[in-house]
Amino acid sequence: MELSQSTGGKTMTVKSKASRKKTGDRWFPYLLIAPTVLLIAGLLVFPIFRVFDLSVQSYDFTRLQKAGYIGLENFRNIFTQDDMFYSSLWITVKWVLIEVVLQLVFGLVVALLLNQAFKLRGLVRSLVLVPWAVSGVLTTMLWSLMFNQHIGIINDILMKLGVISEPVAWLANIHTVFGSVIVAELWRGIPFFAITLLAALQTIPHEVYESCEVDGAGSVKKLFFITLPFLKESIVFATLLRAIWEFNSIDMIFTMTNGGPMDMTTTLPIYMMKTSILEGNYGYGSAIGVVTFAFLMIFVVLYLRLNRSGGMQDE
Amino acid sequence: MNSKRQRKLGSKLLFYIPLALTLVFVLVPFLWAISTSLKREGDVLSGTVRYIPSPATFENFIHVWNDNNFSQYFMNSVFVSVLSVVAITVLSVLNGYAMSRFKFKGKGAFMLVLLATQMMPVILFVIPLFLIFKNLGMINTPYALILFYIVLQVPFNTILMRGFISSTPKEIDEAAMVDGAGRFRIIFAIIMPVVLPGIVATSAFAFIGVWNEFLVAFSFITTPDRFTIPIGLKFMVGEFSVQYASLAAGSIIGLIPPVLLFMFIQRYLVEGLGGAVKG
């Protein structure tokens, strides 16, 4: 708009009707986003400040007589005498790394498979991707029925194959619980990658492949020299976004194992939830939240960096 | 000649074997839940694992629906999901329109905030909101859930919706404006019908998210008459003796709406994401 002013009087008079519309349009976008901005301010931004505020307080529902500001004591306790914090941080890191790498690899394979032309592709696609719609608790239910020591199909098959000689309580055994939860999470995580990458695959123009075929390239060459470079951006975005989501995910692990046995599956968000919501220690829980927040900021900064150069901004 | 045929067979196997394995991995949990849900409770724990229920029975579904209050949970989930999704859809269309049609100060910052909200752990918001809603007397009401679900889902849906609206030509708006249509009329009567597939996809996306949500509902809802399906299921597991067949039946009831919706929107979703990624 500043630009049209500087171009001189003649264009001004020609465009006067349009620019009057434009002046009305100046506040219009704000009107459109106003409800969302208010909701975000009230329900997300303000609470974040409240978390920071709570994190420097002693605010424990079981010991309210001791409530009050205590400075950085919560943080000192977290870093110096809280083994649970370090163990849950380590479990979170393991969880995120394993999940994201495996989901990416299998998701890419599935996306490539589903991008081929074959009979009943539409139906197969719907079936293979459907766990994406089944999140959290329902995934837990399905897999708990499979892992169950007495009624589960996994024990039955493994015993018939002679892999194990007696039923394993997959979710109650400290050696198997982490792996079991990993597998269940893969089940609903692979489709996420597959959908995202399949979407990206469909935007690759056919001509690129055709010209490559003329040059006599085989399918392996095509994968590494065309497909993967084309997918690079989507892969980076999906991986980072998924890493953040896996870092934050609570519902499935919590409903599947309650964080147990022996806290073998207690991740940071679960530790935070147990401390605050279940035990009522809001001050300490918030302090863990602030520390988690700091870790996540690393991811967020990375994501936004990539996003700025990644063409998500329009015009 | 022979080696060529062998190679062809080899590449076919290289395609169909992984595909078959994927299908097995994906489908077995569903099939096992269905099989379990159709068995009599006594047959489930009989000691030998049976793959095909015999006799097959629907009594678990009836039992869980009536005696385990699933009809109540289902209605609560429907109420919360429908109200949230309507609001999410309207807000995302408004935001998406603002983002795709206007340049305005703070647009970049707004986008940043939207993206940032997707990266915060929800539990971080749940802690203070629990205290705030408690003071407002909103704990244990569906409205606390609905408000929070809206704000959690609008950002991602806005980003998707912006992609859909950006892909419609601006000339439509201009032509309508010449005909004297106001901006709101343009949004609701002209743009919305054009991007209807996108709207269907994003609202279904939002519905699936809201329907499945666990943590917020678990934290904000305190009495069983207000439970949504995920919470109802969680507490069913917590009961001392688990009725597996009923649990399976309850899970399947919970699965039906999102799975059906997904089957319906899957094609749009893949196309829409492709469009949204390209911007």
Side-chain angles (χ1 to χ4, degrees), chain A residues 5 36 39 42 82 117 139 155 165 192 239 246 251 256 263 296:
Chain A
Q5 269 177 348
T36 306
L39 278 171
D82 191 345
T139 305
N155 276 327
S165 54
F192 166 82
T239 306
E246 290 300 350
D251 47 4
M256 207 157 190
D263 294 320
L296 271 172

Side-chain angles (χ1 to χ4, degrees), chain B residues 44-104:
Chain B
V44 173
L45 271 173
S46 64
T48 47
V49 174
R50 255 186 264 179
Y51 288 76
I52 310 289
S54 69
T57 168
F58 279 100
E59 68 189 23
N60 301 306
F61 288 90
I62 297 162
H63 170 69
V64 102
W65 186 258
N66 295 329
D67 307 337
N68 290 65
N69 272 331
F70 256 67
S71 50
Q72 180 80 52
Y73 306 157
F74 195 89
M75 290 323 289
N76 292 341
S77 277
V78 168
F79 180 75
V80 168
S81 306
V82 169
L83 281 188
S84 309
V85 168
V86 169
I88 292 162
T89 305
V90 171
L91 290 179
S92 314
V93 170
L94 296 182
N95 294 336
Y97 189 81
M99 308 278 287
S100 83
R101 290 296 194 260
F102 297 96
K103 283 185 174 175
F104 56 94

Side-chain angles (χ1 to χ4, degrees), chain A residues 25 30 36 135 148 156 312, chain B residues 51 95 105 162 183 212:
Chain A
D25 281 352
Y30 297 109
T36 306
S135 62
N148 188 281
D156 196 59
M312 280 285 277
Chain B
Y51 288 76
N95 294 336
K105 240 188 199 160
R162 189 199 63 161
R183 282 286 186 183
N212 287 323

